[in-house]
Each structure stands twice: as structure tokens, then as C-alpha cells.
Amino acid sequence: MKQFALITSLLASSAFAATADQWRSRSIYQLITDRFATSDGSSPSCDTSQRQYCGGTWQGVVKKLDYIQNMGFDAVWISPVVANVEGNTSYGQAFHGYWTQDINSLNSHFGSADDLKALSSALHARGMYLMVDVVVNHMVGTADPPNYSTFQPFSSQSDFHSECFVSNYDNQTEVEQCWLGDKNVPLVDLNTEDDNVVTTMNKWISTLVSNYSVDGVRIDTVKHVRKDFWPDFAKSAGVFTIGEVLHNETSYVSAYTQVIDSVLDYPTWFPLVAAFQTTSGNLSALASTVQQGQTSYKNGEFMTGAFLENHDQPRFQSLTQDNALIKNAMTWPFIQDAIPILYYGQEQSYAGGPDPANREALWLSGYVEDKPLVTHVKTLNAARKAAIAANSDYLTTAVKFLSTGSESTMAISKAPMLTLLTNGGSSSTPKWTVSDAGFQANEELVDILTCTKVNADDKGGVTVQGSGGNPQVLMPTAALTKAGTACSNLATTTTQQSSAAPQGWVGTASDSLPVLAALLLAGWAAQSSLVL
């Protein structure tokens, strides 16, 4: 029984208490459950324009975890899991999971409760985290007025705000208390000022996290609910919370960093896309927005979610087909202060435009791993892990933007990493002159993306001539290890001398408890012949 108590304690502390700080080192792969993988490995056709369920499941995700983990990701963000509108609407089916009708039941299209628990367990056995998307702001009807009796557990009209559709996004009261959607598919706004609604939602999120060993919660439409609702909801969740606040101004978004752990960094996403969409993009606007976030967000840019694509925006490769611009833009989320998030399919060069075109079935790609952008992502994750291992302060050191002498280039310093980006495009031969790079005099460096050696000058600066408009990620050779996956053939040391976790553990020691608990449980079960 003592063994059982130890295992229970380990599982509870690891799966139920993934704090913001524990998420700091993570790298997230976002997927749409219906479009990622099927249970039987089949590859059915999937016409995104039809907005129909295509057959992806939680079992399917489990069977393709190797694909995700091989790219270096150690967290998976899945679609909302609760029961949604059934059947066709004016805008197709609820394959995406965001049209909630019953928060206390699961979406059977994705699988059973046991399937979701199996996904959670499979992730934890690999030392990976599970992030579940949730919708608090509204339930979804299929007509106007909606049939309130179809909503559970909120089946009374009094549980919702009176009907009015948001038309003025500068009016915060309207943003919070009017409805999204339209009369065809109204997103019926929950009355989150009502004590019963608040209590019910807080109990629900606590139960969801507990039942399925959820490590983090992504919250949809955060700005559409009053700010003072969120602290108790986040506390009830008991795990890392990151919210969607769709706005381009850090001054607006920053207020939400005071009420939940973190936000998706939409204010940086806007100038990021603009900076690399064309060869005339404004790189300084990107740097300026990040600097605003560093000073206005509760924890600076740390633990915000950095992304280039998601399910609500056109894929970046629908905006440009220049491979150099794509690689530069994709590099950004992995080299700055935030938690990097990659939207599934980006690594396979998916190029869908606005919703629903950006919600393609990944099985149609064949999950090919020997592709340029898959390799690029894998290398970026490896570079970030190497930097974390080499510098125990890496995750708490804010990026700095250094002068390069050119408007089409930028240098981002986050010791021991120096990233050199350009929006010159594939036909350009960029040059970066960074006199204050901060390296040791004449230090030997490596571009992690190509494993090409570069030497700092006698003052620790660098002058680098690029080709094909490609980015570079420089690190000292001394920061690499033979046991690592970042240019290990050039490493001079076997192990990294820093405060990094021992090899074989993921992140910090507390991050690795799921693995340890799983091993203990397996060993104990084998000895006792007990099946749990």
C-alpha cells in the first residue's frame, strides 16, 4: 500500500499541478483532433470546404505521438473535448470542437472517456504534457432564437445574456455581454455574472482537469468574459492557463496577463506575419512590439504563447511561397522568450487560406518526416533545448535586439543563442554585422541550422554572410554536447556543465515525474499482478 500511495502522490503532483513555471521550457504542437490522425491509420478524403467530420480521434493521436515527439515537441494542445452541436448547420458540422452544447459529456466523434485518458497517459509516459482547449464564453445554437433546452447544464434562458450581437469591439461591455456568431449559428453568451454559472464552470474545469490528468488549459475567447471571472476559474483549474485574446495592442492584452497565467501573443503575431510576408516587411515593428510586451505583460514575454499559425488565421504559406521567408518566420517562435507553438501541418508545407481551408487532414501528407520544414522544426527544437541546457538562466533571460546595420536583417540575442533573421527573400545574400554579440573573443560558433562553423571576432562580435535569404541560429561550440541532437558531431563535450536536468529527464525534475510514476506503476503492477 505504501507503493500505491507513492505512485498516487507522484501521479497527482505531476499530472494535476503543471504550473506556469513548469510549462516555461515546453514546446507545444497544436492539432485539430478531427484532422490529425484516425484510429485505424486510414486516410479518408477530407474536403475542408464541406466543414464535415473527417474521422480524427484521440486514439489516432496516441498512435502518432512518435511523429510529434520526433520533432522535439513535449506538449500537445488538442481541440475542445466536450459534446458539441450534432448534425449539419449553415456552416457545416462541429468537427473543430468549439460549438459546445453539453460541458459534462465528451465529443463521441473523438472517442470515449477511456480514449482520452489513454491519450493523457501515453503523453505522460513520454514525459509530455497534455493541453486541452476549453470554451467558457458561450454555448452554441442552430437557430435564432436558440433552443435553450439543448444546452447542458445551462438549459434556462436566464443562464445567458440577452440577445445582442457584438458590433462595436471598442465597447468592452458589448464585447463581454453580447453574442458572437450570427442568427444562423448563434454563440449564445453565458451570463458569467451569475453566481450559479460561475460556480458551475469552476467545478467543471476542476473535474475535467482531474478526470483526464490535464496539464494545461487553453481558454478560447477570453476577452469576451469579464476579467474578474478568470482568477477563480484559473485557480479551480489548478494547472497552467493560457488564453486567446484576439487583439493587436499589447496595452489591451496585458490586462489579461493579470488574471490568468498567460496569453497567446497575438500582438506580436500581427507584426510577425507582416515582417516576413514580403521582402518589404517592417522588422523593427516586430522588435518594438516585443519590447512593449516585455514591459507591459505581468511576466514580460515569458510563458506567453508564440505562434505563426493557428486554426483561426490563414496559414502563412498561403501568404507567401518564398521558402526563405517561410523559414525565417517559422524560426521566430523558437528563439524568443515565449513558449513556442507550432500548428499542425505547417511542417508539411500546408498552405490553406482562411477557415475552413486551414484545417486540412494531416494524414493526407503521409506524415513524411524527411521533408525540409520537418527538419527545420526538429532543428529549432533541438537548438532551444541545447540553449536551455547550456544556460540555467536561459528561460528567464529576456531577448535583446542588436543592431545589424541593415533594415532587412535583425539579430536577437538570448544567451548563449544569437539568431540572425532576414526578410530579403530567397534571392538575397544577407549580411549581419553585430559588433555587440556578447561572445568571447574569437570564440568558435556554430550555425545550428546548417552545422557550419563561424568565429567571433577579437571583441566577441560577429560578421556573417548568408545565402539564399536563410536564417542562422548561432551558438558556441562549447554549448553543444555529443549526446545532444543539435550538431552533435561538432560538439567537444560529452555532457553539458550547467544546472540542466540529467539526460533522460524532460525539463526539470518535477517535469519528469509522469515518467517516473509510470515506471514505478509498471514495476509494481508486474510484481503484484494487479490490473488497475
Side-chain angles (χ1 to χ4, degrees):
M1 291 304 294
K2 289 182 178 179
Q3 288 172 306
F4 180 78
L6 173 60
I7 293 165
T8 303
S9 175
L10 285 168
L11 287 170
S13 63
S14 59
F16 301 162
T19 64
D21 196 59
Q22 288 174 309
W23 275 87
R24 189 188 294 262
S25 65
R26 297 280 155 166
S27 183
I28 301 172
Y29 188 82
Q30 180 199 354
L31 58 87
I32 291 181
T33 302
D34 180 65
R35 302 296 168 84
F36 180 71
T38 59
S39 296
D40 61 2
S42 61
S43 299
S45 61
C46 183
D47 183 349
T48 57
S49 68
Q50 297 301 304
R51 295 183 168 101
Q52 302 292 300
Y53 280 100
C54 288
T57 64
W58 296 317
Q59 285 187 5
V61 178
V62 170
K63 292 177 180 178
K64 288 298 180 182
L65 287 181
D66 280 348
Y67 172 79
I68 298 173
Q69 193 171 36
N70 287 347
M71 285 187 285
F73 293 100
D74 46 24
V76 177
W77 159 11
I78 64 173
S79 307
V81 300
V82 301
N84 270 223
V85 169
E86 286 293 339
N88 273 309
T89 72
S90 299
Y91 306 114
Q93 296 177 339
F95 69 89
H96 41 70
Y98 290 96
W99 290 351
T100 303
Q101 282 209 328
D102 181 357
I103 64 173
N104 292 322
S105 299
L106 294 179
N107 189 326
S108 60
H109 294 273
F110 302 154
S112 66
D114 285 343
D115 292 335
L116 183 53
K117 290 175 182 178
L119 172 57
S120 179
S121 297
L123 285 165
H124 293 156
R126 295 167 178 259
M128 301 172 73
Y129 280 176
L130 171 64
M131 175 175 284
V132 170
D133 211 325
V134 300
V135 182
V136 172
N137 178 65
H138 52 262
M139 311 288 275
V140 176
T142 57
D144 186 43
N147 180 359
Y148 290 95
S149 67
T150 62
F151 302 148
Q152 295 297 327
F154 309 110
S155 56
S156 171
Q157 186 171 350
S158 63
D159 293 325
F160 298 86
H161 290 131
S162 299
E163 179 174 335
C164 59
F165 288 95
V166 180
S167 60
N168 180 9
Y169 280 86
D170 292 327
N171 183 327
Q172 189 62 27
T173 300
E174 184 174 323
V175 167
E176 294 175 3
Q177 298 192 11
C178 288
W179 298 9
L180 297 169
D182 59 26
K183 289 182 177 295
N184 293 315
V185 181
L187 279 54
V188 189
D189 208 73
L190 267 174
N191 181 7
T192 45
E193 289 76 27
D194 180 84
D195 289 342
N196 178 63
V197 170
V198 171
T199 299
T200 301
M201 293 306 293
N202 290 347
K203 288 181 178 178
W204 166 74
I205 192 60
S206 176
T207 301
L208 181 75
V209 167
S210 176
N211 284 352
Y212 302 105
S213 302
V214 175
D215 303 293
V217 175
R218 183 268 187 184
I219 309 171
D220 190 63
T221 50
V222 166
K223 73 178 184 181
H224 294 281
V225 177
R226 60 186 174 89
K227 294 181 184 69
D228 54 0
F229 168 89
W230 292 117
D232 284 344
F233 182 83
K235 183 179 179 180
S236 298
V239 294
F240 177 59
T241 52
I242 185 168
E244 177 209 26
V245 183
L246 179 48
H247 204 282
N248 65 343
E249 295 180 4
T250 55
S251 58
Y252 181 91
V253 174
S254 63
Y256 293 91
T257 67
Q258 302 295 327
V259 295
I260 54 177
D261 289 324
S262 182
V263 292
L264 296 167
D265 196 8
Y266 256 113
T268 297
W269 174 81
F270 286 98
L272 172 63
V273 171
F276 294 104
Q277 182 178 341
T278 69
T279 56
S280 58
N282 187 346
L283 297 178
S284 63
L286 173 59
S288 176
T289 302
V290 171
Q291 289 165 339
Q292 291 171 23
Q294 288 176 329
T295 59
S296 64
Y297 295 161
K298 179 178 63 178
N299 296 309
E301 286 280 336
F302 299 117
M303 294 172 291
T304 60
F307 63 97
L308 177 64
E309 293 183 358
N310 65 27
H311 59 293
D312 289 325
Q313 306 300 335
R315 289 190 182 272
F316 188 74
Q317 292 172 76
S318 72
L319 306 176
T320 180
Q321 288 74 52
D322 186 298
N323 288 329
L325 292 176
I326 292 166
K327 282 189 173 182
N328 276 273
M330 287 181 66
T331 299
W332 171 260
F334 296 89
I335 55 84
Q336 38 66 68
D337 295 338
I339 300 170
I341 302 172
L342 185 92
Y343 181 51
Y344 86 106
Q346 188 175 1
E347 76 280 5
Q348 295 290 343
S349 299
Y350 277 14
D355 169 25
N358 59 351
R359 301 174 176 187
E360 309 96 320
L362 193 64
W363 52 78
L364 299 178
S365 74
Y367 307 96
V368 177
E369 296 186 43
D370 185 20
K371 296 184 75 171
L373 293 184
V374 175
T375 299
H376 188 56
V377 170
K378 184 175 182 179
T379 304
L380 290 169
N381 268 323
R384 184 170 182 263
K385 284 180 170 62
I388 292 170
N391 178 7
S392 59
D393 295 326
Y394 180 82
L395 294 171
T396 55
T397 299
V399 298
K400 296 180 181 178
F401 297 93
L402 308 180
S403 175
T404 64
S406 168
E407 291 185 354
S408 63
T409 60
M410 68 188 308
I412 304 100
S413 175
K414 188 175 175 69
M417 184 185 290
L418 178 69
T419 302
L420 306 175
L421 302 180
T422 176
N423 63 1
S426 297
S427 62
S428 67
T429 53
K431 182 177 181 179
W432 296 269
T433 301
V434 188
S435 59
D436 55 346
F439 296 114
Q440 298 296 316
N442 304 310
E443 188 169 18
E444 184 179 79
L445 313 173
V446 178
D447 171 22
I448 304 298
L449 300 182
T450 61
C451 295
T452 302
K453 291 184 178 181
V454 179
N455 280 93
D457 60 29
D458 58 3
K459 294 183 180 179
V462 295
T463 298
V464 179
Q465 182 71 59
S467 63
N470 286 309
Q472 298 199 27
V473 178
L474 303 182
M475 288 178 59
T477 306
L480 307 178
T481 68
K482 294 182 182 297
T485 57
C487 302
S488 57
N489 60 310
L490 301 179
T492 57
T493 59
T494 302
T495 58
Q496 189 57 249
Q497 299 300 314
S498 76
S499 59
Q503 184 185 352
W505 289 55
V506 180
T508 64
S510 59
D511 289 339
S512 301
L513 284 172
V515 181
L516 180 59
L519 291 172
L520 286 171
L521 180 60
W524 179 56
Q527 293 177 18
S528 64
S529 300
L530 177 65
V531 179
L532 298 180

